[in-house]
Short mmCIF file of all heavy atoms in Angstrom, two decimals:
data_model
loop_
_atom_site.label_atom_id
_atom_site.label_comp_id
_atom_site.label_asym_id
_atom_site.label_seq_id
_atom_site.Cartn_x
_atom_site.Cartn_y
_atom_site.Cartn_z
N MET J 12 12.17 15.85 -13.37
CA MET J 12 11.91 14.81 -12.38
C MET J 12 12.03 13.45 -13.04
O MET J 12 11.52 13.23 -14.13
CB MET J 12 10.50 14.99 -11.81
CG MET J 12 10.18 13.98 -10.74
SD MET J 12 8.48 14.13 -10.09
CE MET J 12 7.54 13.31 -11.35
N ALA J 13 12.70 12.54 -12.39
CA ALA J 13 12.83 11.19 -12.91
C ALA J 13 11.54 10.41 -12.70
O ALA J 13 10.84 10.63 -11.70
CB ALA J 13 13.99 10.48 -12.23
N TYR J 14 11.21 9.55 -13.62
CA TYR J 14 10.03 8.69 -13.49
C TYR J 14 10.39 7.42 -12.75
O TYR J 14 11.50 6.89 -12.89
CB TYR J 14 9.48 8.32 -14.87
CG TYR J 14 8.87 9.49 -15.60
CD1 TYR J 14 9.58 10.16 -16.57
CD2 TYR J 14 7.57 9.90 -15.29
CE1 TYR J 14 9.01 11.24 -17.24
CE2 TYR J 14 7.00 10.97 -15.95
CZ TYR J 14 7.72 11.64 -16.93
OH TYR J 14 7.17 12.71 -17.58
N SER J 15 9.45 6.94 -11.95
CA SER J 15 9.64 5.64 -11.30
C SER J 15 9.51 4.57 -12.37
O SER J 15 8.64 4.63 -13.23
CB SER J 15 8.56 5.42 -10.23
OG SER J 15 8.63 6.41 -9.24
N LYS J 16 10.41 3.58 -12.33
CA LYS J 16 10.33 2.52 -13.32
C LYS J 16 10.62 1.17 -12.69
O LYS J 16 11.33 1.08 -11.68
CB LYS J 16 11.27 2.78 -14.49
CG LYS J 16 12.73 2.67 -14.14
CD LYS J 16 13.59 2.81 -15.38
CE LYS J 16 15.04 2.56 -15.01
NZ LYS J 16 15.90 2.55 -16.17
N CYS J 17 10.08 0.14 -13.30
CA CYS J 17 10.28 -1.23 -12.82
C CYS J 17 11.73 -1.63 -13.07
O CYS J 17 12.25 -1.42 -14.17
CB CYS J 17 9.32 -2.15 -13.57
SG CYS J 17 9.60 -3.90 -13.22
N ALA J 18 12.36 -2.21 -12.06
CA ALA J 18 13.75 -2.64 -12.21
C ALA J 18 13.87 -3.90 -13.07
O ALA J 18 14.95 -4.24 -13.54
CB ALA J 18 14.36 -2.89 -10.84
N SER J 19 12.75 -4.56 -13.30
CA SER J 19 12.79 -5.80 -14.07
C SER J 19 12.54 -5.58 -15.56
O SER J 19 13.25 -6.12 -16.40
CB SER J 19 11.75 -6.78 -13.50
OG SER J 19 11.74 -7.98 -14.21
N CYS J 20 11.52 -4.74 -15.91
CA CYS J 20 11.16 -4.60 -17.32
C CYS J 20 11.15 -3.15 -17.80
O CYS J 20 10.79 -2.88 -18.95
CB CYS J 20 9.80 -5.25 -17.58
SG CYS J 20 8.40 -4.29 -16.94
N ASN J 21 11.47 -2.19 -16.91
CA ASN J 21 11.52 -0.76 -17.25
C ASN J 21 10.17 -0.10 -17.49
O ASN J 21 10.11 1.05 -17.91
CB ASN J 21 12.43 -0.49 -18.46
CG ASN J 21 13.89 -0.63 -18.10
OD1 ASN J 21 14.27 -0.44 -16.94
ND2 ASN J 21 14.72 -0.98 -19.07
N SER J 22 9.09 -0.79 -17.20
CA SER J 22 7.76 -0.18 -17.33
C SER J 22 7.62 0.95 -16.31
O SER J 22 8.22 0.92 -15.25
CB SER J 22 6.68 -1.24 -17.09
OG SER J 22 5.42 -0.63 -16.95
N THR J 23 6.81 1.94 -16.64
CA THR J 23 6.58 3.06 -15.71
C THR J 23 5.14 3.05 -15.19
O THR J 23 4.65 4.04 -14.69
CB THR J 23 6.87 4.40 -16.40
OG1 THR J 23 6.07 4.51 -17.57
CG2 THR J 23 8.35 4.53 -16.75
N SER J 24 4.46 1.93 -15.32
CA SER J 24 3.07 1.81 -14.87
C SER J 24 3.00 0.84 -13.69
O SER J 24 3.52 -0.28 -13.77
CB SER J 24 2.20 1.32 -16.03
OG SER J 24 0.86 1.22 -15.64
N PHE J 25 2.32 1.27 -12.62
CA PHE J 25 2.25 0.42 -11.42
C PHE J 25 0.80 0.26 -10.98
O PHE J 25 -0.06 1.07 -11.32
CB PHE J 25 3.09 1.04 -10.29
CG PHE J 25 4.54 1.14 -10.65
CD1 PHE J 25 5.04 2.30 -11.21
CD2 PHE J 25 5.40 0.07 -10.44
CE1 PHE J 25 6.37 2.40 -11.57
CE2 PHE J 25 6.73 0.16 -10.81
CZ PHE J 25 7.22 1.33 -11.37
N GLU J 26 0.54 -0.78 -10.21
CA GLU J 26 -0.79 -1.04 -9.69
C GLU J 26 -0.67 -1.62 -8.29
O GLU J 26 0.41 -2.06 -7.89
CB GLU J 26 -1.54 -2.04 -10.58
CG GLU J 26 -0.87 -3.41 -10.64
CD GLU J 26 -1.50 -4.33 -11.67
OE1 GLU J 26 -2.34 -3.87 -12.45
OE2 GLU J 26 -1.14 -5.52 -11.68
N SER J 27 -1.77 -1.58 -7.54
CA SER J 27 -1.74 -2.17 -6.20
C SER J 27 -2.69 -3.35 -6.15
O SER J 27 -3.69 -3.41 -6.89
CB SER J 27 -2.13 -1.13 -5.15
OG SER J 27 -3.49 -0.81 -5.26
N SER J 28 -2.36 -4.32 -5.31
CA SER J 28 -3.26 -5.44 -5.11
C SER J 28 -3.19 -5.88 -3.66
O SER J 28 -2.13 -5.80 -3.03
CB SER J 28 -2.92 -6.60 -6.05
OG SER J 28 -1.68 -7.17 -5.71
N ILE J 29 -4.32 -6.28 -3.12
CA ILE J 29 -4.40 -6.74 -1.74
C ILE J 29 -4.17 -8.25 -1.73
O ILE J 29 -4.87 -8.99 -2.40
CB ILE J 29 -5.78 -6.42 -1.13
CG1 ILE J 29 -6.12 -4.95 -1.29
CG2 ILE J 29 -5.83 -6.86 0.33
CD1 ILE J 29 -5.17 -3.99 -0.60
N GLU J 30 -3.17 -8.68 -0.98
CA GLU J 30 -2.86 -10.11 -0.92
C GLU J 30 -2.51 -10.51 0.51
O GLU J 30 -2.08 -9.69 1.31
CB GLU J 30 -1.67 -10.43 -1.84
CG GLU J 30 -1.96 -10.11 -3.30
CD GLU J 30 -0.77 -10.39 -4.21
OE1 GLU J 30 0.04 -11.28 -3.90
OE2 GLU J 30 -0.65 -9.69 -5.22
N THR J 31 -2.72 -11.78 0.80
CA THR J 31 -2.31 -12.33 2.09
C THR J 31 -1.19 -13.32 1.82
O THR J 31 -1.42 -14.38 1.24
CB THR J 31 -3.48 -13.05 2.79
OG1 THR J 31 -4.57 -12.14 2.92
CG2 THR J 31 -3.07 -13.56 4.16
N PRO J 32 0.05 -12.98 2.19
CA PRO J 32 1.17 -13.87 1.93
C PRO J 32 0.99 -15.21 2.64
O PRO J 32 0.34 -15.29 3.68
CB PRO J 32 2.38 -13.12 2.50
CG PRO J 32 1.96 -11.70 2.53
CD PRO J 32 0.48 -11.73 2.82
N LYS J 33 1.57 -16.24 2.08
CA LYS J 33 1.52 -17.57 2.67
C LYS J 33 2.06 -17.50 4.10
O LYS J 33 3.05 -16.83 4.37
CB LYS J 33 2.38 -18.51 1.83
CG LYS J 33 2.27 -19.96 2.22
CD LYS J 33 3.09 -20.81 1.25
CE LYS J 33 3.03 -22.27 1.67
NZ LYS J 33 3.86 -23.11 0.80
N ASN J 34 1.40 -18.20 5.01
CA ASN J 34 1.78 -18.25 6.42
C ASN J 34 1.62 -16.91 7.13
O ASN J 34 2.22 -16.69 8.18
CB ASN J 34 3.20 -18.76 6.62
CG ASN J 34 3.38 -20.17 6.11
OD1 ASN J 34 2.46 -20.99 6.23
ND2 ASN J 34 4.52 -20.46 5.52
N SER J 35 0.85 -16.00 6.56
CA SER J 35 0.58 -14.72 7.21
C SER J 35 -0.90 -14.62 7.54
O SER J 35 -1.75 -15.15 6.81
CB SER J 35 0.98 -13.56 6.29
OG SER J 35 0.56 -12.33 6.85
N ARG J 36 -1.22 -13.97 8.64
CA ARG J 36 -2.62 -13.78 9.02
C ARG J 36 -3.12 -12.42 8.58
O ARG J 36 -4.26 -12.07 8.84
CB ARG J 36 -2.78 -13.91 10.54
CG ARG J 36 -2.44 -15.29 11.05
CD ARG J 36 -2.34 -15.31 12.57
NE ARG J 36 -3.48 -14.67 13.22
CZ ARG J 36 -3.44 -14.09 14.41
NH1 ARG J 36 -2.32 -14.07 15.08
NH2 ARG J 36 -4.51 -13.55 14.94
N TYR J 37 -2.27 -11.62 7.94
CA TYR J 37 -2.63 -10.25 7.64
C TYR J 37 -2.58 -9.97 6.14
O TYR J 37 -1.69 -10.42 5.43
CB TYR J 37 -1.67 -9.29 8.35
CG TYR J 37 -1.68 -9.50 9.85
CD1 TYR J 37 -0.65 -10.20 10.47
CD2 TYR J 37 -2.73 -9.01 10.62
CE1 TYR J 37 -0.66 -10.42 11.84
CE2 TYR J 37 -2.74 -9.22 11.98
CZ TYR J 37 -1.71 -9.92 12.59
OH TYR J 37 -1.74 -10.13 13.93
N LYS J 38 -3.56 -9.18 5.71
CA LYS J 38 -3.56 -8.72 4.32
C LYS J 38 -2.53 -7.60 4.19
O LYS J 38 -2.32 -6.82 5.11
CB LYS J 38 -4.93 -8.15 3.96
CG LYS J 38 -6.04 -9.15 3.92
CD LYS J 38 -7.34 -8.43 3.61
CE LYS J 38 -8.52 -9.38 3.70
NZ LYS J 38 -9.79 -8.66 3.56
N LEU J 39 -1.91 -7.54 3.04
CA LEU J 39 -0.96 -6.46 2.74
C LEU J 39 -1.28 -5.89 1.37
O LEU J 39 -1.85 -6.58 0.51
CB LEU J 39 0.48 -6.99 2.75
CG LEU J 39 1.02 -7.50 4.09
CD1 LEU J 39 2.36 -8.17 3.88
CD2 LEU J 39 1.13 -6.37 5.08
N GLN J 40 -0.93 -4.65 1.17
CA GLN J 40 -1.14 -4.01 -0.12
C GLN J 40 0.20 -4.01 -0.88
O GLN J 40 1.14 -3.33 -0.47
CB GLN J 40 -1.64 -2.59 0.06
CG GLN J 40 -1.97 -1.93 -1.23
CD GLN J 40 -2.61 -0.56 -1.06
OE1 GLN J 40 -2.97 0.07 -2.03
NE2 GLN J 40 -2.76 -0.08 0.16
N PHE J 41 0.26 -4.76 -1.95
CA PHE J 41 1.47 -4.84 -2.76
C PHE J 41 1.39 -3.80 -3.88
O PHE J 41 0.37 -3.66 -4.54
CB PHE J 41 1.61 -6.22 -3.40
CG PHE J 41 2.01 -7.29 -2.42
CD1 PHE J 41 1.08 -7.87 -1.58
CD2 PHE J 41 3.32 -7.73 -2.35
CE1 PHE J 41 1.43 -8.85 -0.68
CE2 PHE J 41 3.69 -8.71 -1.45
CZ PHE J 41 2.75 -9.28 -0.61
N ILE J 42 2.49 -3.08 -4.09
CA ILE J 42 2.59 -2.20 -5.25
C ILE J 42 3.44 -2.95 -6.27
O ILE J 42 4.59 -3.32 -5.99
CB ILE J 42 3.27 -0.86 -4.87
CG1 ILE J 42 2.54 -0.21 -3.69
CG2 ILE J 42 3.32 0.07 -6.08
CD1 ILE J 42 1.08 0.10 -3.94
N LYS J 43 2.82 -3.19 -7.42
CA LYS J 43 3.46 -4.06 -8.42
C LYS J 43 3.56 -3.38 -9.77
O LYS J 43 2.75 -2.50 -10.09
CB LYS J 43 2.65 -5.35 -8.58
CG LYS J 43 2.39 -6.08 -7.29
CD LYS J 43 1.82 -7.46 -7.50
CE LYS J 43 0.58 -7.49 -8.33
NZ LYS J 43 -0.07 -8.82 -8.33
N CYS J 44 4.50 -3.81 -10.53
CA CYS J 44 4.62 -3.36 -11.92
C CYS J 44 3.37 -3.84 -12.66
O CYS J 44 2.99 -5.01 -12.56
CB CYS J 44 5.87 -3.96 -12.56
SG CYS J 44 5.96 -3.69 -14.34
N ALA J 45 2.69 -2.92 -13.37
CA ALA J 45 1.47 -3.29 -14.08
C ALA J 45 1.75 -4.16 -15.30
O ALA J 45 0.85 -4.81 -15.82
CB ALA J 45 0.72 -2.03 -14.50
N SER J 46 3.01 -4.20 -15.74
CA SER J 46 3.35 -4.99 -16.93
C SER J 46 3.79 -6.40 -16.59
O SER J 46 3.28 -7.37 -17.14
CB SER J 46 4.45 -4.30 -17.72
OG SER J 46 3.99 -3.08 -18.24
N CYS J 47 4.74 -6.53 -15.65
CA CYS J 47 5.31 -7.86 -15.39
C CYS J 47 4.97 -8.40 -14.00
O CYS J 47 5.24 -9.56 -13.71
CB CYS J 47 6.83 -7.85 -15.58
SG CYS J 47 7.74 -7.04 -14.25
N GLY J 48 4.40 -7.56 -13.13
CA GLY J 48 3.99 -8.05 -11.81
C GLY J 48 5.08 -8.03 -10.75
O GLY J 48 4.84 -8.46 -9.61
N ALA J 49 6.26 -7.53 -11.07
CA ALA J 49 7.34 -7.47 -10.08
C ALA J 49 6.90 -6.56 -8.92
O ALA J 49 6.41 -5.46 -9.15
CB ALA J 49 8.62 -6.94 -10.71
N VAL J 50 7.08 -7.03 -7.70
CA VAL J 50 6.68 -6.25 -6.53
C VAL J 50 7.76 -5.21 -6.24
O VAL J 50 8.94 -5.52 -6.15
CB VAL J 50 6.49 -7.18 -5.31
CG1 VAL J 50 6.19 -6.35 -4.07
CG2 VAL J 50 5.37 -8.17 -5.57
N VAL J 51 7.32 -3.94 -6.12
CA VAL J 51 8.28 -2.86 -5.86
C VAL J 51 8.07 -2.25 -4.48
O VAL J 51 8.90 -1.46 -4.02
CB VAL J 51 8.21 -1.77 -6.94
CG1 VAL J 51 8.62 -2.31 -8.28
CG2 VAL J 51 6.83 -1.16 -7.00
N GLY J 52 6.98 -2.60 -3.81
CA GLY J 52 6.74 -2.06 -2.49
C GLY J 52 5.59 -2.77 -1.81
O GLY J 52 4.73 -3.35 -2.47
N VAL J 53 5.59 -2.74 -0.48
CA VAL J 53 4.52 -3.36 0.29
C VAL J 53 4.11 -2.37 1.38
O VAL J 53 4.96 -1.78 2.04
CB VAL J 53 4.99 -4.69 0.94
CG1 VAL J 53 3.86 -5.32 1.74
CG2 VAL J 53 5.49 -5.65 -0.12
N MET J 54 2.78 -2.22 1.53
CA MET J 54 2.26 -1.31 2.55
C MET J 54 1.22 -2.06 3.38
O MET J 54 0.74 -3.12 2.99
CB MET J 54 1.61 -0.09 1.90
CG MET J 54 2.55 0.69 1.00
SD MET J 54 1.86 2.22 0.36
CE MET J 54 0.38 1.69 -0.44
N ASP J 55 0.86 -1.46 4.51
CA ASP J 55 -0.21 -2.03 5.31
C ASP J 55 -1.49 -2.05 4.51
O ASP J 55 -1.73 -1.20 3.66
CB ASP J 55 -0.42 -1.20 6.58
CG ASP J 55 0.72 -1.35 7.56
OD1 ASP J 55 1.22 -2.48 7.71
OD2 ASP J 55 1.11 -0.35 8.16
N TYR J 56 -2.36 -3.00 4.82
CA TYR J 56 -3.66 -3.08 4.16
C TYR J 56 -4.48 -1.84 4.47
O TYR J 56 -5.12 -1.26 3.60
CB TYR J 56 -4.38 -4.35 4.61
CG TYR J 56 -5.81 -4.44 4.20
CD1 TYR J 56 -6.17 -4.47 2.86
CD2 TYR J 56 -6.83 -4.52 5.15
CE1 TYR J 56 -7.49 -4.57 2.47
CE2 TYR J 56 -8.15 -4.62 4.77
CZ TYR J 56 -8.48 -4.65 3.44
OH TYR J 56 -9.79 -4.75 3.06
N TYR J 57 -4.46 -1.43 5.74
CA TYR J 57 -5.20 -0.24 6.13
C TYR J 57 -4.34 0.99 5.86
O TYR J 57 -3.14 0.97 6.02
CB TYR J 57 -5.54 -0.30 7.61
CG TYR J 57 -6.44 -1.44 7.96
CD1 TYR J 57 -5.94 -2.57 8.60
CD2 TYR J 57 -7.77 -1.41 7.62
CE1 TYR J 57 -6.77 -3.63 8.90
CE2 TYR J 57 -8.61 -2.46 7.91
CZ TYR J 57 -8.11 -3.57 8.56
OH TYR J 57 -8.93 -4.62 8.83
N ASN J 58 -5.00 2.09 5.48
CA ASN J 58 -4.30 3.34 5.29
C ASN J 58 -4.11 3.98 6.65
O ASN J 58 -5.03 4.58 7.21
CB ASN J 58 -5.11 4.25 4.36
CG ASN J 58 -4.37 5.53 4.04
OD1 ASN J 58 -3.71 6.10 4.91
ND2 ASN J 58 -4.47 5.98 2.82
N ILE J 59 -2.92 3.81 7.24
CA ILE J 59 -2.65 4.26 8.61
C ILE J 59 -2.88 5.77 8.74
O ILE J 59 -3.44 6.23 9.72
CB ILE J 59 -1.21 3.90 9.02
CG1 ILE J 59 -1.02 2.36 8.99
CG2 ILE J 59 -0.89 4.43 10.42
CD1 ILE J 59 -1.94 1.61 9.92
N GLY J 60 -2.46 6.54 7.76
CA GLY J 60 -2.64 7.98 7.82
C GLY J 60 -4.10 8.36 7.94
O GLY J 60 -4.48 9.22 8.74
N ALA J 61 -4.97 7.72 7.16
CA ALA J 61 -6.41 8.03 7.20
C ALA J 61 -7.00 7.63 8.55
O ALA J 61 -7.84 8.33 9.10
CB ALA J 61 -7.13 7.30 6.08
N LEU J 62 -6.54 6.48 9.11
CA LEU J 62 -7.04 6.04 10.41
C LEU J 62 -6.64 7.02 11.51
O LEU J 62 -7.43 7.35 12.39
CB LEU J 62 -6.50 4.64 10.75
CG LEU J 62 -7.11 3.48 9.98
CD1 LEU J 62 -6.39 2.19 10.32
CD2 LEU J 62 -8.59 3.36 10.32
N VAL J 63 -5.40 7.48 11.48
CA VAL J 63 -4.92 8.42 12.50
C VAL J 63 -5.71 9.73 12.40
O VAL J 63 -6.12 10.30 13.42
CB VAL J 63 -3.40 8.69 12.33
CG1 VAL J 63 -2.96 9.86 13.19
CG2 VAL J 63 -2.61 7.45 12.69
N GLN J 64 -5.98 10.19 11.18
CA GLN J 64 -6.73 11.42 11.00
C GLN J 64 -8.16 11.27 11.53
O GLN J 64 -8.69 12.15 12.20
CB GLN J 64 -6.75 11.80 9.53
CG GLN J 64 -7.27 13.20 9.28
CD GLN J 64 -7.03 13.65 7.85
OE1 GLN J 64 -6.94 12.84 6.94
NE2 GLN J 64 -6.91 14.94 7.65
N LYS J 65 -8.76 10.11 11.27
CA LYS J 65 -10.11 9.84 11.75
C LYS J 65 -10.15 9.84 13.28
O LYS J 65 -11.03 10.43 13.90
CB LYS J 65 -10.57 8.48 11.20
CG LYS J 65 -12.04 8.19 11.36
CD LYS J 65 -12.34 6.77 10.94
CE LYS J 65 -13.09 6.72 9.66
NZ LYS J 65 -13.47 5.33 9.29
N LEU J 66 -9.16 9.17 13.89
CA LEU J 66 -9.07 9.12 15.35
C LEU J 66 -8.86 10.51 15.93
O LEU J 66 -9.49 10.88 16.93
CB LEU J 66 -7.93 8.20 15.79
CG LEU J 66 -8.18 6.71 15.70
CD1 LEU J 66 -6.91 5.93 15.97
CD2 LEU J 66 -9.25 6.29 16.69
N ALA J 67 -7.98 11.29 15.31
CA ALA J 67 -7.68 12.62 15.81
C ALA J 67 -8.92 13.50 15.77
O ALA J 67 -9.20 14.25 16.71
CB ALA J 67 -6.56 13.25 14.98
N LYS J 68 -9.72 13.38 14.72
CA LYS J 68 -10.95 14.18 14.62
C LYS J 68 -11.93 13.77 15.72
O LYS J 68 -12.59 14.61 16.33
CB LYS J 68 -11.58 14.00 13.24
CG LYS J 68 -10.90 14.85 12.19
CD LYS J 68 -11.61 14.78 10.85
CE LYS J 68 -10.92 15.68 9.84
NZ LYS J 68 -11.46 15.53 8.49
N LYS J 69 -12.04 12.45 15.98
CA LYS J 69 -12.93 11.98 17.04
C LYS J 69 -12.48 12.45 18.41
O LYS J 69 -13.28 12.62 19.31
CB LYS J 69 -13.03 10.45 17.01
CG LYS J 69 -13.92 9.93 15.92
CD LYS J 69 -14.20 8.45 16.06
CE LYS J 69 -15.20 8.01 14.99
NZ LYS J 69 -15.51 6.60 15.06
N MET J 70 -11.17 12.66 18.54
CA MET J 70 -10.63 13.11 19.83
C MET J 70 -10.70 14.64 19.95
O MET J 70 -10.28 15.20 20.96
CB MET J 70 -9.18 12.64 19.99
CG MET J 70 -9.07 11.12 20.12
SD MET J 70 -7.36 10.55 20.06
CE MET J 70 -6.77 11.14 21.63
N GLY J 71 -11.20 15.30 18.92
CA GLY J 71 -11.40 16.73 19.00
C GLY J 71 -10.27 17.57 18.44
O GLY J 71 -10.31 18.79 18.51
N PHE J 72 -9.26 16.92 17.87
CA PHE J 72 -8.18 17.70 17.26
C PHE J 72 -8.66 18.24 15.92
O PHE J 72 -9.37 17.56 15.18
CB PHE J 72 -6.93 16.84 17.05
CG PHE J 72 -6.27 16.42 18.32
CD1 PHE J 72 -6.50 15.15 18.84
CD2 PHE J 72 -5.42 17.29 19.00
CE1 PHE J 72 -5.91 14.76 20.02
CE2 PHE J 72 -4.82 16.89 20.18
CZ PHE J 72 -5.06 15.63 20.69
N ASP J 73 -8.30 19.46 15.62
CA ASP J 73 -8.72 20.09 14.37
C ASP J 73 -7.60 19.95 13.34
O ASP J 73 -6.75 20.83 13.21
CB ASP J 73 -9.06 21.56 14.62
CG ASP J 73 -9.64 22.22 13.38
OD1 ASP J 73 -10.24 21.51 12.55
OD2 ASP J 73 -9.47 23.44 13.26
N ILE J 74 -7.60 18.84 12.62
CA ILE J 74 -6.54 18.63 11.62
C ILE J 74 -7.14 18.47 10.24
O ILE J 74 -8.30 18.19 10.09
CB ILE J 74 -5.64 17.42 11.92
CG1 ILE J 74 -6.46 16.13 11.95
CG2 ILE J 74 -4.93 17.63 13.23
CD1 ILE J 74 -5.61 14.89 12.02
ZN1 LIG F 129 8.00 -4.79 -14.73
#
């Protein structure tokens, strides 16, 4: 299996940080290279999968 690596510095270590981009009203979760800080991905602040699972359980679905 190939390892994920930073396209800028070749590091294989990543971290996430919650940030609100300029002119945005919403927090986003950035996945960044732990060495140089290059952003490699952006996700919603909330974990949508966990929220959907929580809602489904409240609605009586057995998931
Ligand atoms: Zn890097």
Side-chain angles (χ1 to χ4, degrees):
M12 182 182 80
Y14 291 99
S15 300
K16 69 174 186 175
C17 173
S19 180
C20 74
N21 287 333
S22 168
T23 57
S24 181
F25 299 93
E26 63 188 8
S27 70
S28 68
I29 307 298
E30 299 178 29
T31 304
K33 188 176 178 182
N34 299 324
S35 173
R36 296 169 49 207
Y37 302 102
K38 294 177 186 173
L39 295 172
Q40 185 174 183
F41 287 79
I42 306 301
K43 307 191 305 189
C44 171
S46 294
C47 74
V50 176
V51 296
V53 180
M54 302 186 304
D55 289 320
Y56 170 62
Y57 297 105
N58 184 321
I59 299 300
L62 287 175
V63 169
Q64 191 169 27
K65 193 187 251 184
L66 283 172
K68 281 185 178 173
K69 282 190 175 180
M70 293 172 71
F72 292 99
D73 186 28
I74 61 171

